[in-house]
Amino acid sequence: MEERRSKRLHILNRLKSFIKREKARTIGIALGGGVVWGTAHIGVLEAISAEGIKIDAIAGTSAGSIVAALYAFGIDLDRIKSYAEKLSMSDIFKLRLPRMGLASTEGIGRLIREFIGDAKIEDADIPLYIPATDLTASEPHLFEKVSVADAVMASSAIPGIFVPVKMDGHTYVDGSLLADVPCQILKIKGIDFVIGVELIDKEKFKREPSNIFDVITKSIQVMVNETRMERLRFADVIITPDVHDIGQFDFDRIPLLIRRGKEAVSKHVEFIKSRAVAS
């Protein structure tokens, strides 16, 4: 009798240990780039939060790095949403005489500093990962122990549109070139379940570019698409907000983009809960 009781206790303790590990499963979200499309990430995060899904780490590239940075520092999503809905092109694009780009990323840096000052990446409430492309070393770069504003400016510097960002003897441009949806970073950092948010208009590839911004962004997307599926395989689920009828520079349609982000999550909520959230 005593031996059977001991075995039952042993099995019960193993079950408790297993349940504890399941509850400790970490969830990360990787936010892709897309200029104004990036505001759809606000809706995605709103919907995920409303479902009680806790994000343990966040990574963001280009426009995704802006939303990722604010979220990682605990900025209220309603406040981010209110700010985004008032954005105009002049807030972000500070035009200058072309040499290495049409505009400076200073407007982006100013936006970040308005919310969190000169905080460094390691000061975030949850782990924050911001990649960029290092033109000096011709390789991807993950920022650590630097100003969040500087990292976001570098990750958002679309070649040809924004002037590259120089730091510590290196020149950085848009992280989307080598990590458009930075899921792999989260897996490398030990996150168990990774949600990828991809902003892509597949129909756009069939349309003729109508301006210099279209030429640049479409050219980058063609290159990124060559290795897209290889990178997305690190995501456990991929959320793709509908952006097919919205231009990447349509600032007046930001409220719609946020709504589309929310709507996109609804298709995946049950799967995310079943795979990532212990009951």
Side-chain angles (χ1 to χ4, degrees), residues 7-39:
K7 283 183 178 179
R8 283 200 299 270
L9 284 172
H10 178 68
I11 292 169
L12 183 60
N13 286 333
R14 288 190 66 184
L15 282 171
K16 285 180 178 178
S17 176
F18 175 76
I19 291 169
K20 186 176 180 181
R21 285 200 303 273
E22 283 299 289
K23 286 185 177 177
R25 200 173 192 206
T26 52
I27 304 172
I29 188 165
L31 310 181
V35 199
V36 169
W37 289 349
T39 55

Side-chain angles (χ1 to χ4, degrees), residues 123-143:
D123 298 328
D125 296 347
I126 61 174
L128 169 64
Y129 305 108
I130 299 175
T133 302
D134 184 343
L135 290 184
T136 305
S138 298
E139 62 185 17
H141 179 81
L142 182 62
F143 287 108

Side-chain angles (χ1 to χ4, degrees), residues 10 30 37 54 67 86 92 110 113 144 167 190 231 266:
H10 178 68
W37 289 349
K54 179 178 174 287
V67 178
K86 297 171 188 173
I92 300 298
R110 192 175 302 112
R113 290 189 180 96
E144 295 178 310
M167 282 190 279
R231 290 195 293 276
S266 64

